[in-house]
């Protein structure tokens, strides 16, 4: 339906603080016409999101934020309208979620040597099937009173410089794009400009992603720097990539508000025309 288009939001299926139904109700209350549900490495919220959207008029674009990794750098890949039962993607996301679980246990073991924190504290911040991540460790640290907010945990105990950090297995960005495309989906690089102009993906590597079917760049995102955005616009123009904008809403887990950045209707139209693995939900 007409109204602002926000193509990046998380529910409690990953590290958002609202259930998929609560998230959809918040999107309706915020006046959005379209919202994409993009939990980390999981499609488990789609059905609940669709059900909650029923009768509200809002359009829900089914999606996911796929974890990929280039060396030590985590690279997030938004994926839309893919087949949620695609065997390749199902197997890879299961592998990533399993690796996330083992890595979270390992981080917690090391933190627990210095702070009063147990694995049960962290599990208490999740539900069955949640894609676990550092935000859940952060929430457990808040519950234990070691820090006051999730963001404060990231700036202190969970900061990579403290030594508790470790990465988890994830496929490379090119493999990620190939998996999404093979599943009929539409891949968009998530917040690719957070590390400044010089930190934007090198052009030859971007070209490989474009050749594999990359659709767009999420340029309008609060964490992209000014220099990063300028470089990304140059690259989008040169390679004919779509430009998206979104909030990356995490409920109470981040200050990001639904609709704070939006995507043009023409871009959504092209995205929907490209996706063949699933359809936007509207009722
Ligand atoms: P992980 O995927 O386990 O490495 O954790 C990364 C996630 O933590 C990202 O998806 C963000 O949602 C969240 N995150 C990163 N930095 C912050 C922060 N400063 N405050 C709140 N959440 C954050
Ligand atoms: Fe997140
Ligand atoms: Fe992300
Ligand atoms: Zn996100």
């Amino acid at each position: 339906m007409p109204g602002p288009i926000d193509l990046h939001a998380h529910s409690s299926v990953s590290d958002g603080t609202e259930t998929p139904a609560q998230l959809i109700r918040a999107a309706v209350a915020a006046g959005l016409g379209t919202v994409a549900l993009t939990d980390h490495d999981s499609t488990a919220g789609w059905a609940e999101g669709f059900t909650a959207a029923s009768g509200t008029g809002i359009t829900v674009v089914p999606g996911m934020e796929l974890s990929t990794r280039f060396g030590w750098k985590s690279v997030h890949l938004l994926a839309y309208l893919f087949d949620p039962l695609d065997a390749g993607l199902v197997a890879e996301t299961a592998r990533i979620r399993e690796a996330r679980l083992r890595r979270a246990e390992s981080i917690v073991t090391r933190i627990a040597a210095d702070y009063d924190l147990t694995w049960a504290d962290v599990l208490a911040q999740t539900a069955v099937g949640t894609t676990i991540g550092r935000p859940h460790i952060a929430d457990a640290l808040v519950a234990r009173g070691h820090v006051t907010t999730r963001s404060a945990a990231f700036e202190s105990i969970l900061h990579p410089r403290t030594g508790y950090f470790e990465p988890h297995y994830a496929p490379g960005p090119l493999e990620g794009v190939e998996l999404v495309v093979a599943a009929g989906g539409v891949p968009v690089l998530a917040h690719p400009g957070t590390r400044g102009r010089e930190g934007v993906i090198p052009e030859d590597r971007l070209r490989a992603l474009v050749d594999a079917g990359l659709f767009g760049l999420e340029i309008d995102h609060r964490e992209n720097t000014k220099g990063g955005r300028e470089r990304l616009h140059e690259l989008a123009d040169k390679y004919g990539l779509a430009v998206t904008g979104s909030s990356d809403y995490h409920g109470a887990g981040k200050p990001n508000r639904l609709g704070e950045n939006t995507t043009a209707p023409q871009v959504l139209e092209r995205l929907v025309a490209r996706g063949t693995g699933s359809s936007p939900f509207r009722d």
Side-chain angles (χ1 to χ4, degrees):
M1 76 170 179
I5 298 158
D6 187 340
L7 294 181
H8 188 165
H10 296 264
S11 78
S12 54
V13 160
S14 63
D15 55 359
T17 58
E18 296 168 350
T19 63
Q22 288 169 334
L23 165 62
I24 297 303
R25 286 197 287 273
V28 171
L32 295 183
T34 300
V35 66
L37 179 59
T38 55
D39 278 304
H40 296 285
D41 309 308
S42 176
T43 62
W46 287 14
E48 185 184 322
F50 292 165
T51 303
S54 186
T56 68
I58 200 168
T59 299
V60 178
V61 176
M64 174 167 77
E65 188 174 14
L66 182 68
S67 302
T68 78
R69 195 176 136 180
F70 190 73
W72 275 77
K73 274 190 193 165
S74 154
V75 177
H76 285 175
L77 185 67
L78 290 160
Y80 303 103
L81 301 168
F82 54 88
D83 175 1
L85 300 179
D86 177 82
L89 211 45
V90 165
E92 191 63 15
T93 49
R95 183 176 175 195
I96 296 167
R97 291 196 308 272
E98 171 67 22
R100 282 176 158 284
L101 186 61
R102 278 186 272 110
R103 169 257 205 167
E105 284 177 317
S106 167
I107 291 176
V108 168
T109 299
R110 274 179 286 110
I111 293 177
D114 299 328
Y115 294 87
D116 194 14
L117 182 76
T118 66
W119 181 238
D121 293 337
V122 177
L123 284 184
Q125 301 298 327
T126 69
V128 175
T130 302
T131 300
I132 203 163
R134 284 179 290 157
H136 304 100
I137 304 175
D139 292 348
L141 289 166
V142 173
R144 278 281 184 180
H146 298 305
V147 287
T148 52
T149 65
R150 187 187 274 193
S151 295
F154 271 92
E155 280 147 32
S156 57
I157 303 170
L158 291 176
H159 195 282
R161 82 171 116 69
T162 58
Y164 301 119
F165 178 80
E166 72 178 70
H168 60 77
Y169 163 80
L174 179 58
E175 199 183 339
V177 168
E178 288 169 348
L179 276 166
V180 171
V181 169
V186 188
V188 171
L189 271 184
H191 45 73
T194 58
R195 300 177 178 104
R197 186 181 177 89
E198 306 310 319
V200 167
I201 181 170
E203 190 164 347
D204 56 336
R205 283 188 42 231
L206 179 68
R207 198 177 306 121
L209 301 187
V210 172
D211 290 345
L214 184 72
F215 172 75
L217 303 173
E218 186 190 50
I219 301 184
D220 295 316
H221 181 291
R222 67 156 69 200
E223 286 167 38
N224 287 331
T225 63
K226 185 163 174 289
R229 289 175 201 226
E230 285 167 5
R231 176 67 183 143
L232 290 165
H233 275 294
E234 292 166 11
L235 291 167
D237 285 348
K238 182 165 177 184
Y239 293 101
L241 292 166
V243 173
T244 70
S246 37
S247 65
D248 204 355
Y249 181 71
H250 283 70
K254 276 190 165 183
N256 311 31
R257 293 300 92 191
L258 283 165
E260 68 176 30
N261 286 294
T262 57
T263 296
Q266 299 88 319
V267 171
L268 176 62
E269 249 172 64
R270 284 173 55 204
L271 191 152
V272 170
R274 178 88 80 102
T276 57
S278 57
S279 303
F281 177 89
R282 197 194 156 201
D283 174 39

